[in-house]
């Protein structure tokens, strides 16, 4: 901090020079009468929104009287001191108490404002994290916060900075909100593509055949099987290496997720060879939530078996394309059929018999392959957009911190300082402001000492 040259009129200040700090406490859980009252009790999990107008838990007046949970006034600024939430910051939009993991700063009148202090603390988040101590639960203390030094501008310039930050960060938030909506739009796009594919609307007219036939899923299979369950494959059978097991976690919506790795020994595999899965087998999750989870098994050079509730369909490729079968099962047409027959409430599921009985109208094999080609082309287009969106979101997320850093280096107000030299110099400088505060505090201490000696 001290190595950075401060803009004209700015000063290096400790946070205890610009705000009055305190922290709260937790009323004893042994007394039910301390909770479910009408006094907001803020915890670090509540922090994050710019303005807090309600808390996740409330306590009673009796709790405040018998604990360290102090009542802080509206417009105080709260910052988290513990664990993964260190540096999370919010402004109190209500009078509220806090627990001991929150430090609370009340801005000193005519020195700074709630919104400026809020932005100032957001900018210092990385510095606070760097100062944290402890192992699994690192923390910073109220003393560290009080003594933390920050670049501090004159009061008039603070107003200009907050106005600029309000405007710029609102644009960033708006951009972020729009970007975050795109994956959901792309999800609907993919479902629309699947719906068009299985209804025949995706096939160009000149490549459309008149051949259509009604089939059940079972009639398309050379074989189909569930994974071993019960005593055939237990948790104790899993090892650190050997033959891979395809589990529910590996089956995504038209994607095989390789990250989750589970193994059994070669010896155990020898007793379960009938469950060996092959490249282009269709894997289907028996649990059906918002989507049907179905995918092709992609590996040709790795040995896998399937686990219970991971159905394997080996398609007769002389009559059907495994990829087309997977697309069909992933479509809303399939979803509606399945949801009408699922069993269970908390984890709705179907069995292999029900899956085999599902019925669809299929085009010729040639048309299936053409539809698969069109779907893959459109999905690749959607995937490209999604990747661009993720890159853009990363940039936007970094943009907030970049704008804050510029603000507290004085870059957003450089021209304003040139045009308003009288508002940042002399008695209007930040240094003069802090000197006045120090003088006031000294006079208060002198009065207190005098009263004590009388």
């Amino acid at each position: 901090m001290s190595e950075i040259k401060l803009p004209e009129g700015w000063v290096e200040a400790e946070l205890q020079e610009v705000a009055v700090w305190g922290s709260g406490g937790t009323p004893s859980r042994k007394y039910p009468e301390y909770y479910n009252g009408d006094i907001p009790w803020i915890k670090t999990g509540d922090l994050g929104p710019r303005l807090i107008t309600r808390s996740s838990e409330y306590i009673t007046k009796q709790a405040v009287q018998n604990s360290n949970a102090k009542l802080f006034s509206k417009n105080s600024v709260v910052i988290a001191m513990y664990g993964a939430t260190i540096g999370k910051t919010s402004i109190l939009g209500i009078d509220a108490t806090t627990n001991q993991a929150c430090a609370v700063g009340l801005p000193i009148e005519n020195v700074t404002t709630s919104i400026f202090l809020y932005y100032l603390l957001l900018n210092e988040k990385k510095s606070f994290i760097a100062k944290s101590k402890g192992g699994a639960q690192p923390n910073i203390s109220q003393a560290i916060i009080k003594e933390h030094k920050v670049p501090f501008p004159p009061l008039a310039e603070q107003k200009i900075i907050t106005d600029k930050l309000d405007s710029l960060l609102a644009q960033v938030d708006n951009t972020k909100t729009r970007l975050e909506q795109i994956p959901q739009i792309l999800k609907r796009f993919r479902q629309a593509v699947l719906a068009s594919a299985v209804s025949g609307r995706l096939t160009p007219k000149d490549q459309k055949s008149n051949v259509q036939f009604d089939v059940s899923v079972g009639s398309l299979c050379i074989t189909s099987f569930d994974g071993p369950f019960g005593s055939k494959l237990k948790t104790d059978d899993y090892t650190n290496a050997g033959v891979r097991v395809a589990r529910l976690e590996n089956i995504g919506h038209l994607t095989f997720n390789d990250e989750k790795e589970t193994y059994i020994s070669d010896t155990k595999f020898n007793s379960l060879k009938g469950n060996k899965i092959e490249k282009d087998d269709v894997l289907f999750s028996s649990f059906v939530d918002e989507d049907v989870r179905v995918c092709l098994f992609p590996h040709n050079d790795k040995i896998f078996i399937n686990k219970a509730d991971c159905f394997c369909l080996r398609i007769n490729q002389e009559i059907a394309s495994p990829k087309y079968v997977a697309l069909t099962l992933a479509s809303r047409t399939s979803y509606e059929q399945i949801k009408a027959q699922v069993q269970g409430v908390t984890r709705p599921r179907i069995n292999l018999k029900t899956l085999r009985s599902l019925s669809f109208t299929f085009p010729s094999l040639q048309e299936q392959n053409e539809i698969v080609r069109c779907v893959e082309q459109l999905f690749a287009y959607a995937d490209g957009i999604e990747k661009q969106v993720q890159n853009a979101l990363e940039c936007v997320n970094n943009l907030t911190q970049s704008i804050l850093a510029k603000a507290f280096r004085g870059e957003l107000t450089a021209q304003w300082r040139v045009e308003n030299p009288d508002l940042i110099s002399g008695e209007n400088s930040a240094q003069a402001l802090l000197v006045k505060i120090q003088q006031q505090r000294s006079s208060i201490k002198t009065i207190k000492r005098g009263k004590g000696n009388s």
Side-chain angles (χ1 to χ4, degrees):
M1 168 68 225
S2 57
E3 297 176 358
I4 300 174
K5 184 179 179 181
L6 294 171
E8 185 179 352
W10 290 41
V11 69
E12 184 180 77
E14 293 183 349
L15 286 171
Q16 63 188 339
E17 295 181 272
V18 302
V20 178
W21 292 89
S23 62
T26 299
S28 174
R29 294 282 183 181
K30 291 190 296 183
Y31 302 99
E33 62 269 25
Y34 288 173
Y35 290 88
N36 299 313
D38 56 5
I39 300 173
W41 185 56
I42 304 297
K43 296 171 286 187
T44 56
D46 298 318
L47 303 182
R50 173 164 153 170
L51 190 69
I52 291 182
T53 56
R54 59 178 300 173
S55 64
S56 58
E57 202 164 0
Y58 290 77
I59 59 175
T60 62
K61 290 182 180 178
Q62 191 177 358
V64 177
Q65 293 167 353
N66 294 286
S67 75
N68 292 324
K70 305 175 187 68
L71 189 65
F72 296 100
S73 64
K74 177 181 178 180
N75 293 325
S76 297
V77 183
V78 188
I79 181 170
M81 297 189 290
Y82 291 5
T85 60
I86 288 176
K88 284 181 71 174
T89 306
S90 293
I91 301 171
L92 290 181
I94 49 174
D95 293 344
T97 59
T98 73
N99 70 359
Q100 66 276 11
C102 299
V104 185
L106 179 63
I108 296 174
E109 191 175 359
N110 296 324
V111 174
T112 192
T113 61
S114 299
I115 185 60
F116 184 81
L117 181 59
Y118 166 76
Y119 282 137
L120 185 60
L121 293 177
L122 281 185
N123 186 57
E124 297 299 317
K125 182 176 180 178
K126 287 185 178 180
S127 296
F128 287 133
I129 292 173
K131 289 184 175 182
S132 63
K133 299 176 182 178
Q137 182 79 348
N139 64 83
I140 53 174
S141 65
Q142 190 182 155
I144 287 175
I145 292 173
K146 286 181 176 181
E147 295 169 4
H148 186 74
K149 293 183 178 181
V150 293
F152 195 72
L155 190 58
E157 190 169 352
Q158 291 178 38
K159 175 67 167 61
I160 306 302
I161 289 172
T162 55
D163 286 348
K164 287 183 177 291
L165 286 175
D166 283 347
S167 175
L168 290 170
L169 296 183
Q171 294 176 48
V172 171
D173 287 342
N174 184 49
T175 301
K176 185 177 179 180
T177 298
R178 290 174 178 272
L179 287 171
E180 288 174 339
Q181 292 171 347
I182 294 176
Q184 194 62 34
I185 294 171
L186 290 174
K187 181 178 179 179
R188 292 197 295 269
F189 169 77
R190 292 186 181 100
Q191 281 295 347
V193 168
L194 288 177
S196 296
V198 300
S199 65
R201 297 194 304 270
L202 204 62
T203 312
K205 288 184 179 180
D206 60 341
Q207 298 184 40
K208 201 171 187 64
S209 70
N210 295 321
V211 178
Q212 287 191 331
F213 51 101
D214 294 331
V215 294
S216 66
V217 170
S219 68
L220 299 172
C221 298
I222 295 173
T223 184
S224 59
F225 50 90
D226 193 357
F229 55 89
S231 60
K232 291 183 179 179
L233 181 61
K234 307 185 297 295
T235 303
D236 292 346
D237 293 320
Y238 295 143
T239 58
N240 294 325
V243 174
R244 288 278 301 273
V245 179
R247 305 178 62 177
L248 290 174
E249 296 90 334
N250 299 114
I251 303 176
H253 183 68
L254 294 173
T255 305
F256 185 82
N257 302 317
D258 247 323
E259 290 79 9
K260 178 69 177 179
E261 295 185 1
T262 305
Y263 297 89
I264 56 173
S265 67
D266 291 334
T267 302
K268 187 64 181 177
F269 169 69
N270 287 332
S271 68
L272 299 172
K273 282 185 176 180
N275 284 97
K276 180 183 176 184
I277 52 183
E278 299 177 0
K279 188 177 187 306
D280 289 337
D281 280 349
V282 177
L283 300 181
F284 190 98
S285 167
S286 68
F287 293 102
V288 181
D289 296 317
E290 293 182 5
D291 288 315
V292 177
R293 286 162 50 197
V294 57
C295 66
L296 292 186
F297 180 66
H299 298 299
N300 197 29
D301 56 346
K302 296 179 182 179
I303 300 175
F304 275 70
I305 66 163
N306 61 325
K307 189 180 180 294
D309 293 318
C310 300
F311 305 142
C312 177
L313 308 175
R314 188 159 299 149
I315 305 302
N316 181 349
Q317 297 190 33
E318 292 184 2
I319 58 174
S321 158
K323 289 184 179 180
Y324 185 82
V325 173
L327 294 178
T328 301
L329 290 173
S331 70
R332 297 305 293 182
T333 303
S334 167
Y335 180 81
E336 296 304 329
Q337 277 198 67
I338 292 168
K339 289 296 283 186
Q341 302 186 60
V342 292
Q343 302 169 358
V345 177
T346 55
R347 295 199 73 186
R349 54 182 287 179
I350 68 169
N351 55 39
L352 182 59
K353 182 179 178 181
T354 301
L355 175 61
R356 287 177 54 85
S357 71
L358 298 180
S359 180
F360 303 95
T361 300
F362 269 38
S364 67
L365 182 57
Q366 181 180 356
E367 189 172 339
Q368 290 176 42
N369 290 329
E370 176 58 24
I371 290 171
V372 167
R373 187 193 67 78
C374 292
V375 170
E376 288 179 339
Q377 188 177 50
L378 291 169
F379 275 17
Y381 173 71
D383 291 344
I385 293 175
E386 198 157 47
K387 187 172 182 180
Q388 291 176 4
V389 169
Q390 290 303 317
N391 291 337
L393 270 173
E394 287 181 18
C395 292
V396 168
N397 289 333
N398 292 331
L399 191 57
T400 295
Q401 212 58 42
S402 175
I403 291 171
L404 286 168
K406 285 179 178 291
F408 292 101
R409 289 197 299 264
E411 294 177 18
L412 298 185
T413 46
Q415 185 59 36
W416 180 88
R417 285 196 301 276
V418 172
E419 296 170 354
N420 298 275
D422 55 323
L423 295 179
I424 61 172
S425 59
E427 63 179 15
N428 290 322
S429 69
Q431 180 64 54
L433 200 60
L434 295 183
V435 168
K436 288 180 183 178
I437 294 298
Q438 291 166 358
Q439 289 173 344
Q440 289 175 5
R441 286 177 172 171
S442 297
S443 64
I444 290 171
K445 288 179 182 178
T446 301
I447 291 170
K448 286 183 177 178
R449 280 198 299 271
K451 285 182 178 180
N453 293 330
S454 60

